[in-house]
Each structure stands twice: as C-alpha cells, then as structure tokens.
Amino acid sequence: MSRAQEPLRNLIHLGTGVTAAFVLAVPRQQALLGLGAVLAGAVALDLGRLQPGFRAWLERRLPGVYRSEERIGVSGATLLVAGYLLAACFFSAPAVAGGILALAVGDPAASVIGRHFGRRPDRFGKTWPGSLACFAAAGLVLWALPFLDLAAAAAGGAMTALIERRAGRLDNLLIPVGVAMLLDLWAA
C-alpha cells in the first residue's frame, strides 16, 4: 500500500466510531447481533479474497483498503469488528463505546502523526510522536463522554497508546477489549 492510500484506511477507522452510538442506542442483544452480522460479512470477504479472481475484483473496487500483508488472511477490518464484538460480549455498553471510540480516533492519530513527525520507528514500526498522538486523541475523545472523568479518560488514552504501540496487527482486536475492560474496572 502506498502512503497515498493510507488516508482512506484512516477515514474508515474514524467512520467506525459511529458504532459507539449504535452500542449505546440499542439493547445488548441487538448490538451483539448487529456486530455479529458485520463480522460474518467481514469474514466472508476475507474468505473470498483467497480466490484470486474475487481478490482482483475487490481490489479494483476498493483500492487501498487492504494492505499488502492483508492480501491473504485476516484483514485489519475483520480484526476491528471482532474486537468490537468481543468487547460487547463481556463489558458494559458505555465501556464498549469508549473502547470503540479510543480505537476509531487513536489509531488514525498515531498513523498520521507518526508518519509525519516520527523520525526513528522502533522495532515494531512505531514512533513516539505517533504514540503520544494516539494517547492524546484517545484521551480527548474519552473525556468528551459524559460518563467519564479526566482520570478515566487519561487511563483509557494510555491503554490505547500502549496496545497500539505493542500489539502489531492485533491492535484492532485488542484496543476495544482492553479499553472497555479498563473502563469497567475503573467504574467498579
């Protein structure tokens, strides 16, 4: 994937933040069914991409959505939806909404700032400016939630940045779960 295609992925990430409103607005069972249906669709696309003809057709229609390491196998989108669903299975709706928003805002902030201002990526390909941007963006979006105070938002931002920095391709799966768990524990 070229650098020019990365903004599309970042916009898609940001767009998934609307899922937080969905999780807060509907009963838990409907949220689980809706997220499960989206996950089934994402898995179907991943399986379809194993077929060269379908993969070529999909890449022509959605250029820049899949990274080269996602050519075959589980995509970041599938991991993202799986993380949202997993969080929704185990944690309260407000905590899940926080986990969703932390990923939707924090990961693109890390990408944009890390690529523009990061000078020396570590062995995981991460930069300190990207990690600080992830912390700040996630913390701010969490602080905007009416049910979180500044300390909880800062802790959620730190959790987001830590997972984003160390989880590699699994960050999409682990951030919503980790942040939701932290926020539920914080509220207890």
Side-chain angles (χ1 to χ4, degrees):
M1 168 182 295
S2 73
R3 276 187 120 166
Q5 294 169 316
E6 196 66 28
L8 175 60
R9 287 181 63 96
N10 289 333
L11 287 173
I12 291 169
H13 247 291
L14 285 169
T16 69
V18 302
T19 310
F22 171 72
V23 167
L24 288 170
V26 302
R28 180 184 184 93
Q29 291 295 17
Q30 289 178 355
L32 294 174
L33 285 172
L35 289 168
V38 174
L39 179 59
V43 169
L45 282 175
D46 282 350
L47 291 173
R49 287 184 309 107
L50 295 175
Q51 304 301 317
F54 181 75
R55 183 173 57 243
W57 178 86
L58 191 61
E59 288 173 356
R60 281 193 307 274
R61 278 148 187 78
L62 300 171
V65 171
Y66 296 105
R67 290 185 173 139
S68 58
E69 63 267 21
E70 296 173 333
R71 255 182 93 76
I72 296 177
V74 179
S75 69
T78 300
L79 292 171
L80 180 141
V81 178
Y84 290 179
L85 177 59
L86 194 58
C89 285
F90 294 104
F91 305 108
S92 69
V96 173
I100 290 169
L101 289 171
L103 176 61
V105 174
D107 203 37
S111 173
V112 170
I113 299 302
R115 286 181 190 274
H116 284 82
F117 299 104
R119 297 286 183 246
R120 298 185 329 189
D122 64 13
R123 68 175 191 237
F124 301 103
K126 306 298 180 177
T127 66
W128 283 108
S131 294
L132 291 172
C134 181
F135 164 72
L140 286 171
V141 76
L142 292 172
W143 194 27
L145 295 173
F147 45 83
L148 293 178
D149 62 18
L150 180 58
M159 175 70 83
T160 304
L162 176 67
I163 295 171
E164 195 279 331
R165 188 162 180 84
R166 291 293 178 239
R169 286 200 63 236
L170 295 179
D171 63 342
N172 286 355
L173 176 70
L174 298 176
I175 288 173
V177 174
V179 172
M181 179 175 62
L182 174 82
L183 295 178
D184 264 355
L185 289 171
W186 196 279

